[in-house]
């Protein structure tokens, strides 16, 4: 059995397409079809159902995929162990909430680069739904979410923590001195928010909708740093994670608003797919994420 055929089979299974697998591997479609056919002949089993251009694993195909992942993992481990005395090199792909990018890369990335000069990192800012699409298709190696707490045995939680959330205003806002504010008072005010459907904004809007309320923002923008700057200037209110606003709060430029009966539970979670092999390169990136993004530094779960 040729391991290359198994790798091709894995790509077809993950992408649900012979054409996309061929493009990703740099092969012709006929080569991909031939390699899969070789496997089907060796196993004397049909691995895919091909109906109206759709490609779906058969029951036997799902069994073979589980073993194929294990074989690929052992092959990668062997290659890494043979190179353990060499400089770590590789490319790691990480999808994450846009508001987390600044803290991950602004202060400590230079230290990481000096420690691991051979490792390159691709960061993709995405919403939660898109993150899971990417990780399920093996288009990223790990994800850093900011959303509801995710319970799913398909994924391994490397680290997690609950994130504080507040409505915020500039220090000179009339709301900043109030000890108690109703949601109804707030919703008619000018708001500056992150893009619609992005994690905590989506959860805030779902809760407001349950109260038959809605916020019409005067500005929607991805940069939380810019939102904080505009809030400090008194241009509008916002709803942001505490790790984004804490610098402005400490400086006395931003105030947390005490809003009655409005709590949203947000979790920051670093996850990877349970079938993903944790190479030394990936482990170094996961550890960097834990040390940079989480207040409690635990042990990475392999």
């Amino acid at each position: 059995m040729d391991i290359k055929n198994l790798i091709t089979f894995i790509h077809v299974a993950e992408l649900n397409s012979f054409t996309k697998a061929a493009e990703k591997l740099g092969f012709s479609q006929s080569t991909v079809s031939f390699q899969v056919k070789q496997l089907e002949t060796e196993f004397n089993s049909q691995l895919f159902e091909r109906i109206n251009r759709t490609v779906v694993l058969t029951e036997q195909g799902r069994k073979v995929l589980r073993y194929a992942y294990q074989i690929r993992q052992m092959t990668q481990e062997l290659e890494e162990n043979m190179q353990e005395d060499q400089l770590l090199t590789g490319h790691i792909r990480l999808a994450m909430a846009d508001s987390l990018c600044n803290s991950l890369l602004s202060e400590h990335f230079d230290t990481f680069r000096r420690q691991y000069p051979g490792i390159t990192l691709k960061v993709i800012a995405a919403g939660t739904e898109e993150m899971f699409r990417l990780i399920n298709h093996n288009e990223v190696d790990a994800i850093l979410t900011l959303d509801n707490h995710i319970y799913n045995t398909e994924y391994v939680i490397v680290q997690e923590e609950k994130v504080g959330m507040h409505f915020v205003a500039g220090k000179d806002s009339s709301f900043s001195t109030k000890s108690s504010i109703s949601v109804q008072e707030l919703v008619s005010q000018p708001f500056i928010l992150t893009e619609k459907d992005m994690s905590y904004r989506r959860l805030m809007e779902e809760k407001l909708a349950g109260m038959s309320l809605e916020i019409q923002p005067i500005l929607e923008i991805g940069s939380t740093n810019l939102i904080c700057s505009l809030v400090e200037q008194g241009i509008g209110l916002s709803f942001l994670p505490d790790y984004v606003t804490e610098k402005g709060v400490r400086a006395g430029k931003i105030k947390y608003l005490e809003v009655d009966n409005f709590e949203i539970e947000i979790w920051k979670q670093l996850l990877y797919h349970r079938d993903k092999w944790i190479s030394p390169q990936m482990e170094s990136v996961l550890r960097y994420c834990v040390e940079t993004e989480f207040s409690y530094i635990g042990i990475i779960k392999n």
Side-chain angles (χ1 to χ4, degrees):
M1 181 173 58
D2 192 335
I3 291 177
K4 290 182 180 178
N5 291 350
L6 279 179
I7 299 301
T8 297
F9 165 71
I10 289 172
H11 278 82
V12 175
E14 290 178 340
L15 297 172
N16 296 316
S17 169
F18 282 74
T19 302
K20 291 180 180 178
E23 291 174 354
K24 188 163 188 177
L25 293 167
F27 297 160
S28 67
Q29 187 170 336
S30 60
T31 297
V32 170
S33 298
F34 177 72
Q35 290 179 329
V36 172
K37 187 63 177 176
Q38 280 187 314
L39 284 178
E40 290 181 325
T41 300
E42 287 184 67
F43 297 137
N44 193 30
S45 297
Q46 184 175 336
L47 303 180
F48 294 102
E49 290 182 335
R50 307 165 181 84
I51 302 173
N52 294 329
R53 296 186 178 181
T54 63
V55 177
V56 180
L57 283 167
T58 62
E59 182 60 33
Q60 287 299 104
R62 285 191 286 272
K63 291 180 182 178
V64 172
L65 182 61
R66 288 195 293 271
Y67 284 106
Y69 278 134
Q70 294 175 29
I71 292 170
R72 183 179 68 175
Q73 177 174 332
M74 287 187 290
T75 302
Q76 290 173 329
E77 286 177 351
L78 176 60
E79 292 174 351
E80 294 296 337
N81 286 335
M82 295 300 291
Q83 299 173 2
E84 61 183 1
D85 294 330
Q86 300 178 13
L87 176 71
L88 280 182
T89 60
H91 184 65
I92 303 299
R93 305 156 302 170
L94 179 66
M96 61 193 300
D98 184 70
S99 62
L100 295 171
C101 293
N102 185 65
S103 55
L104 182 74
L105 301 172
S106 62
E107 296 182 13
H108 307 290
F109 187 62
D110 185 53
T111 301
F112 175 83
R113 284 288 302 142
R114 288 197 299 271
Q115 186 175 1
Y116 301 104
I119 296 178
T120 58
L121 181 63
K122 180 178 181 180
V123 176
I124 302 170
T128 305
E129 183 177 345
E130 174 65 5
M131 287 188 215
F132 280 98
R133 187 196 69 78
L134 292 169
I135 201 170
N136 288 337
H137 288 84
N138 198 31
E139 295 179 34
V140 295
D141 301 299
I143 59 177
L144 186 58
T145 68
L146 191 66
D147 213 304
N148 285 320
H149 193 280
I150 296 159
Y151 300 93
N152 193 319
T153 56
E154 289 292 310
Y155 312 104
V156 176
I157 299 173
V158 179
Q159 190 65 280
E160 61 181 16
E161 68 180 14
K162 191 174 178 181
V163 175
M165 297 290 306
H166 281 90
F167 285 101
V168 291
K171 63 180 178 63
D172 295 324
S173 168
S174 60
F175 288 98
S176 64
T177 57
K178 292 187 176 183
S179 59
S180 179
I181 306 167
S182 70
V183 180
Q184 288 77 6
E185 287 181 88
L186 284 184
V187 294
S188 61
Q189 299 301 309
F191 266 83
I192 305 166
L193 299 175
T194 52
E195 297 100 324
K196 196 172 183 61
D197 296 327
M198 292 296 283
S199 61
Y200 49 86
R201 176 179 172 182
R202 186 193 75 249
L203 297 175
M204 175 199 69
E205 290 181 328
E206 288 174 357
K207 188 172 180 67
L208 287 174
M211 304 166 70
S212 299
L213 297 172
E214 182 181 13
I215 289 174
Q216 295 290 343
I218 61 170
L219 176 63
E220 298 171 282
I221 191 167
S223 172
T224 52
N225 283 345
L226 182 54
I227 292 175
C228 285
S229 176
L230 294 173
V231 169
E232 289 176 8
Q233 297 173 49
I235 294 175
L237 311 181
S238 193
F239 182 74
L240 293 168
D242 291 353
Y243 66 83
V244 169
T245 57
E246 61 183 356
K247 184 177 180 181
V249 170
R250 286 200 306 268
K253 297 178 180 180
I254 292 177
K255 299 291 185 179
Y256 292 147
L257 303 184
E258 300 300 327
V259 181
D260 299 332
N261 303 315
F262 198 93
E263 293 184 3
I264 293 178
E265 189 169 285
I266 302 286
W267 284 80
K268 185 192 301 182
Q269 292 180 286
L270 178 62
L271 310 98
Y272 61 85
H273 198 281
R274 69 179 184 184
D275 294 324
K276 188 73 178 178
W277 176 58
I278 308 303
S279 66
Q281 294 90 335
M282 183 170 167
E283 183 176 356
S284 69
V285 172
L286 292 177
R287 193 171 298 281
Y288 169 69
C289 290
V290 169
E291 293 172 350
T292 304
E293 292 290 343
F294 293 88
S295 56
Y296 168 72
I297 299 177
I299 298 173
I300 291 177
K301 306 171 187 176
N302 286 320

